[in-house]
């Protein structure tokens, strides 16, 4: 029998679900991802205020992703003796400190240090999240709990881009980061009152990462995930400059388009389970393929504003299902080493974000957003081909 999210080992979950704890984690995700996405919606004012290029300001995304990648790989071994409840609260505390540093940053250096701390929180949180959820609810409720966690991501996508750009225009970009720090405070209190004690589980060592990576199909799956997320974040990080410079949208229209992106992303998250239940592998491949087609249309047709709005929203819808699909892939293929496997997947995603933002920034400064989108489409097409050719969606029979 091949394990699926509904057949995870029963011993890994309690008899009664701790939904309050799951909600507190979703709140933490909401705050972390909101902070992660904010630079994309505030790139222009941040660059102007600090006296740097938009490409340089985009490296605020890069440093967060690089540190998140390292943290996700090391957290299970470095924190092998720390109660996971305490770890979640530490990550929420780092969220607060990070946003306050960014909000008061006098220049690029302090801004990047603040974003570095956010990377630690992001990488650590995501590496632990799936493993913790498995221990908070019965096995049969794991898919629902994971959907709740990812609803925090979708909520952040809705809020961070449009609200960040709009509030930033009214009260300044620094005030937006102060508000995000308050989200961290709320998450910290919610986790304090709802998360139970969670002793470390699994082997939690660097060696375990290598063992998991050697399992059939895992390395190729992680490479494919890296390409998918890298292609997306190259697109998303420089979406606002594209809307302003290439489409001619004002701040109000930019906020509306980003809101449409976020709402469509939320819907994509809601329908992801239905798509994945039909065929996980087909979902993993079809999502980046359709995103690549959107990139081609944006690059080759110079669409008018209404069509651009539809294409951007459709991209948001497609990407809403992407994290759910890859989390399901992890739960199906490596349920017995969820912490270590989660660290590897998060590291791949954070590396993708870093490369997407960094390479995208270089391309943007050289030849603009259209070239960034073209590169994004090529990466996503390669990912779709790689998934169809070699990515496994189920574990070996010996793991059943």
């Amino acid at each position: 029998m091949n394990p699926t999210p509904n057949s995870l080992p029963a011993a890994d979950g309690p008899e009664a679900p701790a939904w309050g704890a799951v909600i507190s984690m979703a709140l933490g995700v909401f705050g972390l991802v909101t902070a992660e996405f904010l630079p994309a919606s505030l790139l222009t004012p941040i660059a102007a205020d600090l006296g740097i290029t938009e490409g340089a300001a985009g490296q605020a995304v890069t440093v967060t992703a690089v540190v998140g990648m390292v943290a996700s790989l090391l957290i299970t071994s470095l924190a092998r003796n720390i109660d996971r409840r305490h770890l979640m609260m530490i990550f929420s505390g780092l969220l607060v400190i990070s946003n306050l540093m960014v909000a008061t940053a006098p220049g690029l250096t302090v801004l990047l240090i603040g974003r570095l701390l956010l990377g630690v929180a992001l990488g650590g949180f995501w590496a632990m999240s799936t493993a913790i959820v498995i221990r908070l609810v019965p096995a049969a409720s794991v898919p629902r709990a994971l959907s709740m966690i990812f609803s925090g991501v979708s909520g952040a996508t809705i809020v961070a881009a449009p609200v960040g750009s709009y509030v930033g225009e009214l009260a300044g970009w620094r005030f937006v980061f102060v508000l995000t720090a308050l989200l961290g405070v709320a998450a910290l209190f919610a986790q304090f009152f709802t998360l139970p004690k969670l002793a470390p589980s699994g082997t939690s060592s660097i060696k375990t990462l290598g063992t998991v990576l050697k399992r059939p199909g895992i390395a190729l799956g992680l490479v494919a995930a890296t390409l998918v997320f890298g292609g997306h974040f190259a697109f998303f990080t420089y979406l606002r400059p594209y809307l302003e410079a290439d489409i001619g949208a004002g701040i109000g229209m930019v906020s509306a388009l980003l809101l449409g992106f976020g709402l469509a992303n939320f819907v994509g998250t809601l329908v992801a389970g239905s798509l994945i239940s039909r065929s996980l592998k087909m979902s993993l491949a079809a999502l980046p393929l359709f995103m690549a087609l959107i990139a081609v249309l944006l690059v080759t047709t110079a669409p008018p504003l209404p069509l651009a709005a539809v294409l951007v929203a459709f991209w948001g819808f497609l990407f809403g299902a992407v994290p759910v699909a890859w989390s399901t892939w992890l739960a199906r293929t490596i349920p017995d080493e969820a912490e270590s496997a989660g660290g590897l997947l998060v590291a791949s995603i954070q590396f993708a974000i870093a490369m997407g933002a960094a390479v995208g920034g270089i391309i943007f400064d050289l030849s603009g957003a259209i070239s960034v989108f073209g590169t994004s489409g090529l990466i996503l097409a390669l990912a779709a081909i790689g998934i169809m050719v070699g990515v496994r969606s189920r574990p070996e029979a010996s793991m059943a």
Side-chain angles (χ1 to χ4, degrees):
M1 176 180 178
N2 290 313
T4 67
N6 283 318
S7 61
L8 293 168
D12 288 344
E15 293 184 2
W19 292 119
V22 174
I23 291 172
S24 76
M25 289 186 64
L27 182 59
V29 168
F30 179 71
L32 287 166
V33 178
T34 295
E36 182 181 22
F37 286 171
L38 278 180
S41 64
L42 298 168
L43 210 59
T44 303
I46 289 175
D49 189 17
L50 298 182
I52 56 179
T53 68
E54 290 174 329
Q59 304 315 312
V61 177
T62 305
V63 69
T64 301
V66 169
V67 174
M69 176 183 67
V70 176
S72 65
L73 291 174
L74 299 180
I75 191 66
T76 55
S77 58
L78 294 179
R80 66 167 62 98
N81 297 321
I82 300 178
D83 191 307
R84 277 27 184 165
R85 174 180 185 268
H86 297 153
L87 272 182
M88 293 298 104
M89 294 170 61
I90 289 171
F91 296 147
S92 292
L94 287 177
L95 171 63
V96 176
I97 296 170
S98 166
N99 282 286
L100 291 179
M101 287 186 68
V102 172
T104 57
L108 183 60
T109 300
V110 175
L111 175 73
L112 293 181
I113 293 174
R115 299 292 295 180
L116 181 152
L117 294 178
L118 178 64
V120 174
L122 269 168
F125 189 99
W126 280 122
M128 297 286 181
S129 59
T130 300
I132 290 178
V133 165
I134 290 173
R135 299 172 64 188
L136 290 176
V137 300
S141 299
V142 168
R144 178 185 175 190
L146 288 173
S147 296
M148 292 173 66
I149 296 295
F150 281 106
S151 71
V153 177
S154 298
T157 305
I158 294 173
V159 170
V163 175
S165 61
Y166 184 73
V167 174
E169 184 72 12
L170 292 178
W173 65 270
R174 296 177 186 274
F175 182 69
V176 178
F177 283 95
V178 172
L179 292 179
T180 310
L182 295 179
L183 289 178
V185 173
L188 180 60
F189 275 97
Q191 290 159 7
F192 176 80
F193 287 109
T194 63
L195 280 176
K197 292 183 178 180
L198 296 167
S201 64
T203 52
S204 300
S205 70
I206 296 296
K207 182 180 179 180
T208 306
L209 296 177
T211 301
V212 170
L213 195 58
K214 291 178 182 178
R215 293 188 182 185
I218 300 304
L220 182 57
L222 293 174
V223 170
T226 300
L227 292 175
V228 174
F229 282 88
H232 166 72
F233 279 97
F235 172 90
F236 184 73
T237 302
Y238 299 96
L239 179 59
R240 174 173 174 170
Y242 166 78
L243 295 174
E244 291 177 329
D246 295 87
I247 299 298
I251 183 62
M253 183 56 65
V254 168
S255 297
L257 292 176
L258 293 176
L259 177 61
F261 178 97
L263 290 172
N265 182 268
F266 183 74
V267 175
T269 301
L270 294 180
V271 304
S274 177
L275 295 174
I276 293 166
S277 66
R278 296 174 184 271
S279 173
L280 173 58
K281 186 169 183 176
M282 186 60 66
S283 298
L284 289 171
L287 293 169
L289 181 59
F290 280 112
M291 291 162 71
L293 292 175
I294 293 174
V296 170
L297 289 174
L298 291 173
V299 169
T300 60
T301 64
L305 182 59
L307 179 56
V310 172
L311 292 174
V312 167
F314 188 41
W315 184 296
F317 170 81
L318 293 169
F319 186 70
V322 168
V324 182
W326 284 104
S327 180
T328 302
W329 173 79
L330 184 153
R332 287 188 180 184
T333 54
I334 331 171
D336 56 318
E337 285 290 352
E339 286 192 0
S340 296
L344 287 169
L345 180 60
V346 172
S348 300
I349 294 172
Q350 293 303 319
F351 177 78
I353 296 172
M355 291 300 99
V359 176
I362 295 171
I363 296 174
F364 180 86
D365 285 343
L366 289 175
S367 52
I370 290 297
S371 295
V372 176
F373 291 0
T375 304
S376 170
L378 177 61
I379 293 171
L380 289 162
L382 290 174
I385 294 171
I387 291 167
M388 290 304 299
V389 169
V391 171
R392 298 170 181 263
S393 60
R394 295 184 183 276
E396 294 290 287
S398 61
M399 290 174 58

